[in-house]
Short mmCIF file of all heavy atoms in Angstrom, two decimals:
data_model
loop_
_atom_site.label_atom_id
_atom_site.label_comp_id
_atom_site.label_asym_id
_atom_site.label_seq_id
_atom_site.Cartn_x
_atom_site.Cartn_y
_atom_site.Cartn_z
N MET A 30 0.48 -9.15 9.36
CA MET A 30 1.53 -8.20 8.94
C MET A 30 0.91 -7.16 8.00
O MET A 30 0.06 -7.50 7.18
CB MET A 30 2.64 -8.97 8.21
CG MET A 30 4.02 -8.39 8.44
SD MET A 30 5.29 -9.21 7.47
CE MET A 30 5.38 -10.80 8.30
N PRO A 31 1.33 -5.92 8.11
CA PRO A 31 0.75 -4.88 7.24
C PRO A 31 1.15 -5.05 5.77
O PRO A 31 2.16 -5.65 5.45
CB PRO A 31 1.35 -3.58 7.79
CG PRO A 31 2.00 -3.92 9.08
CD PRO A 31 2.30 -5.38 9.05
N TRP A 32 0.31 -4.49 4.92
CA TRP A 32 0.58 -4.48 3.49
C TRP A 32 0.84 -3.06 3.06
O TRP A 32 0.24 -2.11 3.57
CB TRP A 32 -0.63 -5.04 2.72
CG TRP A 32 -0.73 -6.53 2.82
CD1 TRP A 32 -1.17 -7.23 3.90
CD2 TRP A 32 -0.38 -7.51 1.83
NE1 TRP A 32 -1.12 -8.59 3.62
CE2 TRP A 32 -0.65 -8.79 2.37
CE3 TRP A 32 0.13 -7.41 0.53
CZ2 TRP A 32 -0.41 -9.97 1.65
CZ3 TRP A 32 0.36 -8.58 -0.17
CH2 TRP A 32 0.09 -9.84 0.38
N TRP A 33 1.75 -2.92 2.11
CA TRP A 33 2.17 -1.59 1.66
C TRP A 33 2.09 -1.48 0.15
O TRP A 33 2.30 -2.45 -0.55
CB TRP A 33 3.61 -1.32 2.12
CG TRP A 33 3.79 -1.49 3.58
CD1 TRP A 33 4.19 -2.64 4.23
CD2 TRP A 33 3.53 -0.53 4.60
NE1 TRP A 33 4.20 -2.42 5.59
CE2 TRP A 33 3.82 -1.15 5.84
CE3 TRP A 33 3.11 0.80 4.59
CZ2 TRP A 33 3.67 -0.48 7.06
CZ3 TRP A 33 2.97 1.47 5.80
CH2 TRP A 33 3.25 0.83 7.00
N LYS A 34 1.83 -0.27 -0.30
CA LYS A 34 1.82 -0.02 -1.74
C LYS A 34 2.80 1.10 -2.05
O LYS A 34 2.77 2.17 -1.44
CB LYS A 34 0.42 0.38 -2.20
CG LYS A 34 0.34 0.62 -3.69
CD LYS A 34 -1.01 1.16 -4.08
CE LYS A 34 -1.01 1.49 -5.57
NZ LYS A 34 -2.24 2.20 -5.96
N CYS A 35 3.64 0.83 -3.02
CA CYS A 35 4.62 1.82 -3.46
C CYS A 35 3.91 2.95 -4.21
O CYS A 35 3.12 2.69 -5.12
CB CYS A 35 5.65 1.15 -4.35
SG CYS A 35 6.79 2.29 -5.14
N SER A 36 4.21 4.19 -3.84
CA SER A 36 3.56 5.32 -4.50
C SER A 36 4.13 5.56 -5.89
O SER A 36 3.55 6.25 -6.71
CB SER A 36 3.74 6.58 -3.65
OG SER A 36 5.11 6.89 -3.54
N ASN A 37 5.28 4.96 -6.15
CA ASN A 37 5.94 5.19 -7.44
C ASN A 37 5.47 4.20 -8.50
O ASN A 37 5.04 4.60 -9.58
CB ASN A 37 7.46 5.10 -7.24
CG ASN A 37 8.21 5.48 -8.49
OD1 ASN A 37 7.94 6.52 -9.09
ND2 ASN A 37 9.13 4.64 -8.90
N CYS A 38 5.53 2.90 -8.18
CA CYS A 38 5.22 1.90 -9.20
C CYS A 38 3.94 1.14 -8.90
O CYS A 38 3.47 0.37 -9.72
CB CYS A 38 6.38 0.93 -9.35
SG CYS A 38 6.65 -0.11 -7.90
N GLY A 39 3.39 1.30 -7.69
CA GLY A 39 2.14 0.64 -7.35
C GLY A 39 2.31 -0.79 -6.87
O GLY A 39 1.34 -1.51 -6.70
N TYR A 40 3.54 -1.19 -6.63
CA TYR A 40 3.82 -2.54 -6.14
C TYR A 40 3.23 -2.74 -4.74
O TYR A 40 3.39 -1.88 -3.88
CB TYR A 40 5.33 -2.76 -6.14
CG TYR A 40 5.77 -4.13 -5.71
CD1 TYR A 40 5.40 -5.25 -6.44
CD2 TYR A 40 6.59 -4.30 -4.59
CE1 TYR A 40 5.83 -6.52 -6.05
CE2 TYR A 40 7.03 -5.56 -4.21
CZ TYR A 40 6.64 -6.67 -4.94
OH TYR A 40 7.07 -7.91 -4.57
N VAL A 41 2.54 -3.85 -4.53
CA VAL A 41 1.93 -4.15 -3.24
C VAL A 41 2.65 -5.33 -2.61
O VAL A 41 2.87 -6.35 -3.26
CB VAL A 41 0.43 -4.48 -3.42
CG1 VAL A 41 -0.20 -4.86 -2.08
CG2 VAL A 41 -0.31 -3.29 -4.02
N PHE A 42 3.01 -5.19 -1.35
CA PHE A 42 3.75 -6.26 -0.69
C PHE A 42 3.49 -6.23 0.81
O PHE A 42 3.02 -5.26 1.37
CB PHE A 42 5.26 -6.11 -0.96
CG PHE A 42 5.81 -4.78 -0.51
CD1 PHE A 42 6.44 -4.66 0.71
CD2 PHE A 42 5.67 -3.67 -1.31
CE1 PHE A 42 6.94 -3.44 1.13
CE2 PHE A 42 6.16 -2.43 -0.89
CZ PHE A 42 6.80 -2.32 0.33
N GLU A 43 3.83 -7.35 1.45
CA GLU A 43 3.62 -7.51 2.88
C GLU A 43 4.94 -7.33 3.60
O GLU A 43 5.95 -7.92 3.21
CB GLU A 43 3.07 -8.92 3.11
CG GLU A 43 2.57 -9.19 4.50
CD GLU A 43 2.02 -10.60 4.63
OE1 GLU A 43 2.39 -11.46 3.81
OE2 GLU A 43 1.22 -10.84 5.54
N ALA A 44 4.94 -6.52 4.67
CA ALA A 44 6.17 -6.30 5.42
C ALA A 44 5.85 -5.74 6.80
O ALA A 44 4.83 -5.10 6.99
CB ALA A 44 7.08 -5.33 4.67
N ASP A 45 6.74 -6.00 7.75
CA ASP A 45 6.59 -5.46 9.10
C ASP A 45 6.46 -3.96 9.07
O ASP A 45 5.62 -3.37 9.72
CB ASP A 45 7.83 -5.82 9.93
CG ASP A 45 7.57 -7.06 10.78
OD1 ASP A 45 6.40 -7.32 11.07
OD2 ASP A 45 8.54 -7.73 11.15
N LYS A 46 7.35 -3.34 8.29
CA LYS A 46 7.34 -1.90 8.12
C LYS A 46 7.85 -1.59 6.73
O LYS A 46 8.58 -2.41 6.15
CB LYS A 46 8.20 -1.22 9.19
CG LYS A 46 9.59 -1.77 9.30
CD LYS A 46 10.32 -1.18 10.49
CE LYS A 46 11.69 -1.82 10.66
NZ LYS A 46 12.41 -1.33 11.84
N PRO A 47 7.49 -0.44 6.21
CA PRO A 47 7.92 -0.14 4.83
C PRO A 47 9.44 -0.03 4.74
O PRO A 47 10.08 0.53 5.63
CB PRO A 47 7.25 1.21 4.54
CG PRO A 47 6.91 1.79 5.87
CD PRO A 47 6.68 0.63 6.79
N PRO A 48 10.02 -0.60 3.70
CA PRO A 48 11.48 -0.55 3.52
C PRO A 48 11.92 0.84 3.08
O PRO A 48 11.10 1.68 2.70
CB PRO A 48 11.73 -1.56 2.41
CG PRO A 48 10.47 -1.53 1.61
CD PRO A 48 9.35 -1.27 2.58
N GLU A 49 13.21 1.05 3.13
CA GLU A 49 13.72 2.35 2.68
C GLU A 49 13.53 2.50 1.18
O GLU A 49 13.16 3.56 0.68
CB GLU A 49 15.19 2.48 3.05
CG GLU A 49 15.75 3.87 2.81
CD GLU A 49 17.21 3.98 3.20
OE1 GLU A 49 17.67 3.14 4.00
OE2 GLU A 49 17.88 4.89 2.71
N ARG A 50 13.76 1.39 0.48
CA ARG A 50 13.59 1.40 -0.97
C ARG A 50 12.59 0.35 -1.39
O ARG A 50 12.54 -0.73 -0.81
CB ARG A 50 14.93 1.13 -1.67
CG ARG A 50 15.88 2.30 -1.60
CD ARG A 50 17.22 1.93 -2.20
NE ARG A 50 18.17 3.02 -2.09
CZ ARG A 50 18.27 4.00 -3.00
NH1 ARG A 50 17.50 3.99 -4.06
NH2 ARG A 50 19.14 4.97 -2.84
N CYS A 51 11.82 0.64 -2.42
CA CYS A 51 10.83 -0.29 -2.93
C CYS A 51 11.53 -1.53 -3.50
O CYS A 51 12.48 -1.41 -4.26
CB CYS A 51 10.03 0.40 -4.03
SG CYS A 51 8.91 -0.70 -4.90
N PRO A 52 11.06 -2.74 -3.10
CA PRO A 52 11.68 -3.97 -3.62
C PRO A 52 11.44 -4.18 -5.11
O PRO A 52 12.12 -4.98 -5.75
CB PRO A 52 11.01 -5.08 -2.80
CG PRO A 52 9.79 -4.49 -2.20
CD PRO A 52 9.99 -3.00 -2.14
N ASN A 53 10.51 -3.47 -5.68
CA ASN A 53 10.20 -3.64 -7.10
C ASN A 53 10.92 -2.63 -7.98
O ASN A 53 11.64 -3.01 -8.90
CB ASN A 53 8.68 -3.54 -7.31
CG ASN A 53 8.28 -3.89 -8.74
OD1 ASN A 53 8.61 -4.96 -9.24
ND2 ASN A 53 7.59 -2.99 -9.38
N CYS A 54 10.74 -1.34 -7.68
CA CYS A 54 11.34 -0.33 -8.56
C CYS A 54 12.66 0.21 -8.01
O CYS A 54 13.37 0.91 -8.72
CB CYS A 54 10.34 0.82 -8.80
SG CYS A 54 9.93 1.77 -7.33
N GLY A 55 12.95 -0.11 -6.72
CA GLY A 55 14.24 0.28 -6.17
C GLY A 55 14.36 1.76 -5.84
O GLY A 55 15.44 2.23 -5.51
N GLU A 56 13.25 2.47 -5.92
CA GLU A 56 13.28 3.90 -5.61
C GLU A 56 12.95 4.13 -4.14
O GLU A 56 12.30 3.31 -3.49
CB GLU A 56 12.24 4.64 -6.47
CG GLU A 56 12.51 4.58 -7.96
CD GLU A 56 13.78 5.32 -8.34
OE1 GLU A 56 14.05 6.38 -7.74
OE2 GLU A 56 14.51 4.84 -9.21
N LYS A 57 13.38 5.29 -3.62
CA LYS A 57 12.95 5.70 -2.30
C LYS A 57 11.60 6.39 -2.46
O LYS A 57 11.52 7.51 -2.95
CB LYS A 57 13.95 6.69 -1.68
CG LYS A 57 15.21 6.04 -1.17
CD LYS A 57 16.05 7.07 -0.43
CE LYS A 57 17.32 6.45 0.11
NZ LYS A 57 18.14 7.45 0.83
N CYS A 58 10.53 5.69 -2.10
CA CYS A 58 9.22 6.28 -2.32
C CYS A 58 8.40 6.27 -1.04
O CYS A 58 8.79 5.70 -0.03
CB CYS A 58 8.45 5.53 -3.41
SG CYS A 58 9.30 4.17 -4.15
N THR A 59 7.25 6.88 -1.14
CA THR A 59 6.29 6.82 -0.05
C THR A 59 5.53 5.51 -0.16
O THR A 59 5.16 5.09 -1.26
CB THR A 59 5.30 7.99 -0.16
OG1 THR A 59 6.04 9.20 -0.20
CG2 THR A 59 4.36 8.02 1.03
N PHE A 60 5.29 4.86 0.96
CA PHE A 60 4.52 3.62 0.96
C PHE A 60 3.21 3.84 1.70
O PHE A 60 3.21 4.34 2.82
CB PHE A 60 5.32 2.49 1.61
CG PHE A 60 6.56 2.15 0.85
CD1 PHE A 60 7.78 2.69 1.23
CD2 PHE A 60 6.51 1.30 -0.23
CE1 PHE A 60 8.93 2.39 0.51
CE2 PHE A 60 7.64 1.00 -0.95
CZ PHE A 60 8.86 1.54 -0.58
N TYR A 61 2.13 3.46 1.03
CA TYR A 61 0.82 3.59 1.64
C TYR A 61 0.42 2.30 2.31
O TYR A 61 0.62 1.22 1.75
CB TYR A 61 -0.22 3.95 0.57
CG TYR A 61 0.04 5.28 -0.08
CD1 TYR A 61 0.63 5.35 -1.33
CD2 TYR A 61 -0.29 6.45 0.60
CE1 TYR A 61 0.89 6.57 -1.91
CE2 TYR A 61 -0.04 7.68 0.02
CZ TYR A 61 0.56 7.74 -1.24
OH TYR A 61 0.82 8.94 -1.82
N ASP A 62 -0.15 2.42 3.49
CA ASP A 62 -0.66 1.27 4.21
C ASP A 62 -1.99 0.84 3.57
O ASP A 62 -2.97 1.58 3.63
CB ASP A 62 -0.86 1.64 5.68
CG ASP A 62 -1.29 0.46 6.53
OD1 ASP A 62 -1.62 -0.60 5.96
OD2 ASP A 62 -1.31 0.60 7.76
N VAL A 63 -1.99 -0.30 2.90
CA VAL A 63 -3.20 -0.78 2.22
C VAL A 63 -3.75 -2.03 2.91
O VAL A 63 -4.49 -2.80 2.31
CB VAL A 63 -2.95 -1.04 0.73
CG1 VAL A 63 -2.64 0.24 -0.01
CG2 VAL A 63 -1.83 -2.05 0.53
N THR A 64 -3.35 -2.24 4.16
CA THR A 64 -3.81 -3.40 4.90
C THR A 64 -5.32 -3.39 5.05
O THR A 64 -5.93 -2.34 5.28
CB THR A 64 -3.18 -3.41 6.31
OG1 THR A 64 -1.80 -3.13 6.20
CG2 THR A 64 -3.39 -4.76 6.98
N CYS A 65 -5.92 -4.55 4.89
CA CYS A 65 -7.36 -4.69 5.08
C CYS A 65 -7.67 -4.75 6.57
O CYS A 65 -7.14 -5.59 7.28
CB CYS A 65 -7.84 -5.95 4.40
SG CYS A 65 -9.54 -6.36 4.81
N TYR A 66 -8.54 -3.85 7.02
CA TYR A 66 -8.96 -3.89 8.42
C TYR A 66 -10.45 -4.18 8.55
O TYR A 66 -11.00 -4.14 9.63
CB TYR A 66 -8.65 -2.55 9.10
CG TYR A 66 -7.17 -2.27 9.20
CD1 TYR A 66 -6.57 -1.28 8.41
CD2 TYR A 66 -6.36 -2.99 10.07
CE1 TYR A 66 -5.22 -1.03 8.49
CE2 TYR A 66 -5.01 -2.74 10.15
CZ TYR A 66 -4.45 -1.75 9.36
OH TYR A 66 -3.11 -1.50 9.44
N THR A 67 -11.10 -4.43 7.43
CA THR A 67 -12.54 -4.70 7.46
C THR A 67 -12.83 -5.99 6.71
O THR A 67 -12.02 -6.45 5.90
CB THR A 67 -13.31 -3.55 6.76
OG1 THR A 67 -13.03 -3.59 5.36
CG2 THR A 67 -12.93 -2.20 7.33
N PRO A 68 -14.01 -6.61 6.98
CA PRO A 68 -14.36 -7.86 6.28
C PRO A 68 -14.69 -7.63 4.80
O PRO A 68 -14.76 -8.59 4.04
CB PRO A 68 -15.61 -8.35 7.03
CG PRO A 68 -15.74 -7.50 8.24
CD PRO A 68 -15.00 -6.24 7.97
N GLU A 69 -14.88 -6.39 4.39
CA GLU A 69 -15.33 -6.08 3.03
C GLU A 69 -14.43 -6.67 1.95
O GLU A 69 -14.90 -7.09 0.90
CB GLU A 69 -15.37 -4.56 2.83
CG GLU A 69 -16.55 -3.90 3.49
CD GLU A 69 -16.51 -2.40 3.28
OE1 GLU A 69 -16.09 -1.98 2.19
OE2 GLU A 69 -16.87 -1.67 4.20
N CYS A 70 -13.15 -6.69 2.20
CA CYS A 70 -12.21 -7.12 1.16
C CYS A 70 -12.00 -8.63 1.20
O CYS A 70 -11.19 -9.17 0.46
CB CYS A 70 -10.90 -6.39 1.32
SG CYS A 70 -10.19 -6.62 2.94
N GLY A 71 -12.72 -9.32 2.08
CA GLY A 71 -12.61 -10.77 2.13
C GLY A 71 -11.36 -11.26 2.84
O GLY A 71 -10.97 -12.40 2.67
N PHE A 72 -10.74 -10.40 3.61
CA PHE A 72 -9.55 -10.77 4.39
C PHE A 72 -8.44 -11.33 3.50
O PHE A 72 -7.82 -12.35 3.80
CB PHE A 72 -9.90 -11.79 5.49
CG PHE A 72 -10.83 -11.23 6.52
CD1 PHE A 72 -12.13 -11.66 6.59
CD2 PHE A 72 -10.39 -10.25 7.40
CE1 PHE A 72 -13.00 -11.14 7.54
CE2 PHE A 72 -11.26 -9.72 8.35
CZ PHE A 72 -12.56 -10.16 8.42
N THR A 73 -8.24 -10.71 2.36
CA THR A 73 -7.19 -11.17 1.47
C THR A 73 -5.84 -10.60 1.89
O THR A 73 -4.84 -10.90 1.27
CB THR A 73 -7.49 -10.75 0.02
OG1 THR A 73 -7.82 -9.36 0.00
CG2 THR A 73 -8.62 -11.55 -0.56
N GLY A 74 -5.84 -9.77 2.90
CA GLY A 74 -4.57 -9.21 3.38
C GLY A 74 -4.51 -7.72 3.12
O GLY A 74 -4.18 -6.93 3.98
N TYR A 75 -4.86 -7.33 1.89
CA TYR A 75 -4.86 -5.91 1.58
C TYR A 75 -6.24 -5.52 1.05
O TYR A 75 -7.02 -6.37 0.61
CB TYR A 75 -3.77 -5.53 0.58
CG TYR A 75 -3.84 -6.30 -0.72
CD1 TYR A 75 -4.67 -5.87 -1.75
CD2 TYR A 75 -3.07 -7.43 -0.92
CE1 TYR A 75 -4.74 -6.57 -2.94
CE2 TYR A 75 -3.12 -8.13 -2.10
CZ TYR A 75 -3.96 -7.70 -3.11
OH TYR A 75 -4.02 -8.39 -4.29
N ASP A 76 -6.52 -4.23 1.12
CA ASP A 76 -7.83 -3.73 0.71
C ASP A 76 -7.77 -3.28 -0.75
O ASP A 76 -7.04 -2.35 -1.08
CB ASP A 76 -8.21 -2.56 1.62
CG ASP A 76 -9.65 -2.14 1.42
OD1 ASP A 76 -10.17 -2.28 0.30
OD2 ASP A 76 -10.26 -1.66 2.39
N PRO A 77 -8.52 -3.94 -1.63
CA PRO A 77 -8.47 -3.59 -3.07
C PRO A 77 -8.82 -2.13 -3.32
O PRO A 77 -8.30 -1.52 -4.25
CB PRO A 77 -9.52 -4.51 -3.70
CG PRO A 77 -9.71 -5.63 -2.73
CD PRO A 77 -9.43 -5.06 -1.37
N LYS A 78 -9.69 -1.58 -2.49
CA LYS A 78 -10.07 -0.17 -2.67
C LYS A 78 -8.90 0.76 -2.39
O LYS A 78 -8.70 1.75 -3.07
CB LYS A 78 -11.24 0.19 -1.74
CG LYS A 78 -12.56 -0.46 -2.13
CD LYS A 78 -13.74 0.24 -1.48
CE LYS A 78 -13.68 0.24 0.04
NZ LYS A 78 -13.73 -1.11 0.63
N LEU A 79 -8.12 0.42 -1.37
CA LEU A 79 -6.96 1.24 -1.05
C LEU A 79 -5.87 1.05 -2.11
O LEU A 79 -5.16 2.00 -2.46
CB LEU A 79 -6.41 0.86 0.33
CG LEU A 79 -7.34 1.17 1.51
CD1 LEU A 79 -6.70 0.70 2.81
CD2 LEU A 79 -7.66 2.64 1.59
N VAL A 80 -5.74 -0.16 -2.61
CA VAL A 80 -4.73 -0.44 -3.63
C VAL A 80 -5.06 0.33 -4.92
O VAL A 80 -4.18 0.84 -5.60
CB VAL A 80 -4.63 -1.95 -3.91
CG1 VAL A 80 -3.77 -2.22 -5.12
CG2 VAL A 80 -4.08 -2.68 -2.69
N ALA A 81 -6.36 0.42 -5.22
CA ALA A 81 -6.78 1.08 -6.45
C ALA A 81 -6.66 2.60 -6.35
O ALA A 81 -6.66 3.29 -7.37
CB ALA A 81 -8.22 0.70 -6.77
N ARG A 82 -6.56 3.07 -5.12
CA ARG A 82 -6.50 4.50 -4.89
C ARG A 82 -5.24 5.11 -5.49
O ARG A 82 -4.15 4.57 -5.36
CB ARG A 82 -6.51 4.75 -3.38
CG ARG A 82 -6.75 6.17 -2.99
CD ARG A 82 -6.81 6.27 -1.48
NE ARG A 82 -5.48 6.19 -0.88
CZ ARG A 82 -5.27 6.12 0.43
NH1 ARG A 82 -6.27 6.05 1.25
NH2 ARG A 82 -4.05 6.09 0.90
N LYS A 83 -5.42 6.24 -6.14
CA LYS A 83 -4.26 6.94 -6.70
C LYS A 83 -3.74 7.95 -5.66
O LYS A 83 -4.53 8.53 -4.92
CB LYS A 83 -4.64 7.67 -7.97
CG LYS A 83 -5.00 6.72 -9.11
CD LYS A 83 -5.26 7.50 -10.40
CE LYS A 83 -5.51 6.54 -11.54
NZ LYS A 83 -6.75 5.76 -11.32
N PRO A 84 -2.42 8.13 -5.62
CA PRO A 84 -1.84 9.04 -4.62
C PRO A 84 -2.49 10.42 -4.63
O PRO A 84 -2.67 11.02 -3.59
CB PRO A 84 -0.37 9.12 -5.03
CG PRO A 84 -0.12 7.83 -5.73
CD PRO A 84 -1.42 7.49 -6.44
N ASN A 85 -2.83 10.94 -5.79
CA ASN A 85 -3.38 12.30 -5.84
C ASN A 85 -4.83 12.35 -5.38
O ASN A 85 -5.44 13.41 -5.36
CB ASN A 85 -3.22 12.91 -7.24
CG ASN A 85 -3.96 12.11 -8.30
OD1 ASN A 85 -4.70 11.18 -7.99
ND2 ASN A 85 -3.75 12.48 -9.55
N GLU A 86 -5.40 11.20 -5.04
CA GLU A 86 -6.76 11.18 -4.52
C GLU A 86 -6.76 11.06 -3.00
O GLU A 86 -7.81 10.99 -2.39
CB GLU A 86 -7.54 10.00 -5.11
CG GLU A 86 -7.81 10.15 -6.60
CD GLU A 86 -8.53 8.92 -7.13
OE1 GLU A 86 -7.87 7.92 -7.35
OE2 GLU A 86 -9.74 9.00 -7.30
N GLU A 87 -5.61 11.02 -2.43
CA GLU A 87 -5.49 10.76 -1.00
C GLU A 87 -6.24 11.79 -0.16
O GLU A 87 -6.79 11.47 0.88
CB GLU A 87 -4.01 10.74 -0.60
CG GLU A 87 -3.81 10.28 0.82
CD GLU A 87 -2.34 10.19 1.20
OE1 GLU A 87 -1.52 10.92 0.60
OE2 GLU A 87 -2.02 9.42 2.08
N SER A 88 -6.25 13.02 -0.60
CA SER A 88 -6.85 14.08 0.20
C SER A 88 -8.35 13.90 0.37
O SER A 88 -8.97 14.51 1.22
CB SER A 88 -6.57 15.44 -0.43
OG SER A 88 -7.07 15.47 -1.74
N ARG A 89 -8.96 13.07 -0.47
CA ARG A 89 -10.41 12.85 -0.35
C ARG A 89 -10.76 11.97 0.84
O ARG A 89 -11.89 11.87 1.22
CB ARG A 89 -10.94 12.16 -1.61
CG ARG A 89 -10.89 13.03 -2.85
CD ARG A 89 -11.60 12.31 -3.98
NE ARG A 89 -11.22 12.84 -5.28
CZ ARG A 89 -11.54 12.22 -6.42
NH1 ARG A 89 -12.21 11.09 -6.39
NH2 ARG A 89 -11.18 12.74 -7.57
N PHE A 90 -9.77 11.27 1.38
CA PHE A 90 -10.07 10.33 2.45
C PHE A 90 -9.75 10.92 3.82
O PHE A 90 -8.70 11.39 4.06
CB PHE A 90 -9.29 9.03 2.24
CG PHE A 90 -9.82 8.24 1.08
CD1 PHE A 90 -9.38 8.52 -0.20
CD2 PHE A 90 -10.78 7.25 1.28
CE1 PHE A 90 -9.86 7.79 -1.28
CE2 PHE A 90 -11.27 6.54 0.21
CZ PHE A 90 -10.82 6.81 -1.05
ZN1 LIG B 313 8.10 0.91 -6.36
#
């Protein structure tokens, strides 16, 4: 199942698809797909590098 990160509060959670509202902060925010697709993160479910990424750095990727 994909992992998502809330762009507002940084909450990371697992879900089929991003919800309309963040389960943590309750805001309607953008959710980033932080699912791990490589062995680098140790298959913990989400990629720590993507989780650490700040929204304003997105354009670098
Ligand atoms: Zn949130």
